[in-house]
Amino acid sequence: IRRIGLFIAVVAVSSLTIAAQEINVRPVTEHDLLKGSKDPSVWLTVAGDYNGQRHTQAKQISPKNVASLVPQWVFQAGVPNPGRGLETTPLVVDGVMYATGNANQAWAIDARTGRALWTYQRQLPSNFSASVCCGPGNRGFGILGDRLYLGTLDAHLVALDRKTGKVIWDVQVGELKYANSITMAPLVVKDKIIVGTAGGDGPIRGFLAAFEQRSERRVVLPVDGLRVRDRLELRDVVIAD
């Protein structure tokens, strides 16, 4: 099967925002993230919940009726990734899909109609592909409150307004000259946004970094040689019952 840049729905400047149409949103809370996939009407993390099982509690689709599913709409993404297609997991909240694409495109999409409510496109450095080992793919957003969080191929973490797709803040995490890039979906734990650099296919040392949701202040610094220059106490990010 040839993988192409399409979203198919079934029934069961540093950046540019195009055709912004404000969306009515309710804030996603830490409690919502802890509930994870127990609410089948939403999908709030790349894996559905902190267990990482990617299993939905939805009951309307079952082994008995899955064969009757048919396409309802197709959304064409703008940037191809030959041989790999799209590698994102869309988030779904209140009937809106928040999806990322190749070369740091992103969209808010009406889940019923497939209509783009807004479009975001990061303007990447012209030489970024020389430092990215495995194509321009992206795995998805993190979400908290009224914001979406996106890791970029030039190793930045960007906060977007869920209503409009406009940039709220943009912080540098790594450097292209060290072959740093971010393709993972940011992990939101309490009020921290956690990301790590890609590039393990090459001779680089990867690292994790965490940022405060509201202020963009870095609270965990990368590894410097074999010594951690700063660290976040486990009690600050552990998921409590």
Side-chain angles (χ1 to χ4, degrees):
I1 299 175
R2 186 167 63 94
R3 301 176 65 189
I4 55 178
L6 299 172
F7 292 116
I8 300 178
V10 295
V11 168
V13 177
S14 61
S15 63
L16 178 64
T17 302
I18 303 171
Q21 179 175 328
E22 190 165 300
I23 305 166
N24 292 322
V25 301
R26 63 176 177 88
V28 172
T29 66
E30 296 173 26
H31 182 64
D32 292 329
L33 294 176
L34 284 170
K35 286 195 304 182
S37 58
K38 292 179 182 178
D39 180 355
S41 69
V42 300
W43 193 264
L44 299 178
T45 71
V46 66
D49 56 28
Y50 289 121
N51 291 326
Q53 296 180 343
R54 300 176 182 262
H55 179 73
T56 177
Q57 301 295 319
K59 304 299 183 184
Q60 289 180 313
I61 299 174
S62 69
K64 293 182 179 179
N65 64 20
V66 67
S68 64
L69 294 176
V70 294
Q72 296 296 296
W73 52 259
V74 176
F75 181 85
Q76 176 67 60
V79 179
N81 189 6
R84 301 184 66 158
L86 293 169
E87 301 178 314
T88 187
T89 298
L91 305 185
V92 180
V93 188
D94 295 337
V96 178
M97 295 176 61
Y98 300 99
T100 64
N102 300 316
N104 296 145
Q105 283 186 304
W107 307 271
I109 302 170
D110 186 321
R112 290 190 177 276
T113 66
R115 180 171 59 92
L117 304 174
W118 52 253
T119 297
Y120 167 86
Q121 173 68 73
R122 183 168 182 80
Q123 300 302 303
L124 293 162
S126 58
N127 65 336
F128 85 93
S129 60
S131 299
V132 177
C133 75
C134 306
N138 184 274
R139 273 69 181 193
F141 281 122
I143 190 171
L144 184 63
D146 57 0
R147 300 181 181 188
L148 298 162
Y149 299 92
L150 171 68
T152 71
L153 290 166
D154 56 341
H156 283 232
L157 178 63
V158 179
L160 302 179
D161 187 320
R162 277 175 57 199
K163 294 181 181 180
T164 64
K166 293 181 178 179
V167 175
I168 298 172
W169 51 254
D170 180 339
V171 62
Q172 182 175 345
V173 180
E175 297 187 55
L176 273 178
K177 67 180 181 181
Y178 297 134
N180 295 150
S181 64
I182 301 174
T183 60
M184 67 170 285
L187 175 65
V188 179
V189 180
K190 293 189 175 179
D191 64 342
K192 306 297 188 295
I193 315 302
I194 304 170
V195 291
T197 57
D201 304 75
I204 74 159
R205 187 184 184 100
F207 60 85
L208 295 175
F211 297 83
E212 291 184 346
Q213 177 219 3
R214 286 290 173 183
S215 68
E216 76 194 78
R217 183 176 72 89
R218 189 194 298 256
V219 291
V220 172
L221 298 179
V223 170
D224 179 10
L226 296 178
R227 180 175 63 87
V228 177
R229 289 184 284 155
D230 195 4
R231 64 193 177 95
L232 186 67
E233 294 293 339
L234 180 61
R235 59 184 167 80
D236 289 334
V237 297
V238 69
I239 302 170
D241 293 331

